[in-house]
Amino acid sequence: MSHFPVPGRNLFTGAIPAPGSGPQQWAGAPSAVRMDDGSFVLTYRRRSSGDGIVVVTSRDGEPFDTELEIGKEQMDSAMIEWPALARLPDGRWRMYTS
């Protein structure tokens, strides 16, 4: 059995800060993929005045650089949520969202 660090017992760092302070300002519902070279691709929902999905990358899991932002307007939708990433065998990406 592996030893997984249980929250509250170890130090941790939040990967993505909230986009602002106050009600309905948060970043969450993440999906992450670790690449063969050890880098990370992460996508999450940003809840703020500019709701949308954000795709970020990191060489070691901290810090992250923004690669792409997709607004609900681009999807012709009232809102977009719960992004999930999948890497295809040919190297392309697919993102599922509701």
Side-chain angles (χ1 to χ4, degrees), residues 27-92:
S31 174
V33 174
R34 187 165 188 189
M35 304 298 291
D36 292 338
D37 66 0
S39 64
F40 294 87
V41 178
L42 174 78
T43 187
Y44 63 92
R45 180 177 183 221
R46 179 188 58 224
R47 176 74 169 109
S48 65
S49 58
D51 287 1
I53 301 294
V54 183
V55 179
V56 295
T57 57
S58 175
R59 288 195 315 198
D60 59 5
E62 183 185 3
F64 285 90
D65 297 312
T66 301
E67 302 294 335
L68 176 67
E69 295 186 40
I70 303 168
K72 61 185 179 183
E73 299 81 13
Q74 290 171 272
M75 301 289 287
D76 193 25
S77 178
M79 77 177 44
I80 50 178
E81 298 188 23
W82 298 101
L85 291 174
R87 186 87 190 263
L88 303 176
D90 65 4
R92 292 180 303 139

Side-chain angles (χ1 to χ4, degrees), residues 2-12:
S2 67
H3 295 287
F4 188 82
V6 177
R9 295 188 182 168
N10 298 301
L11 296 177
F12 66 92

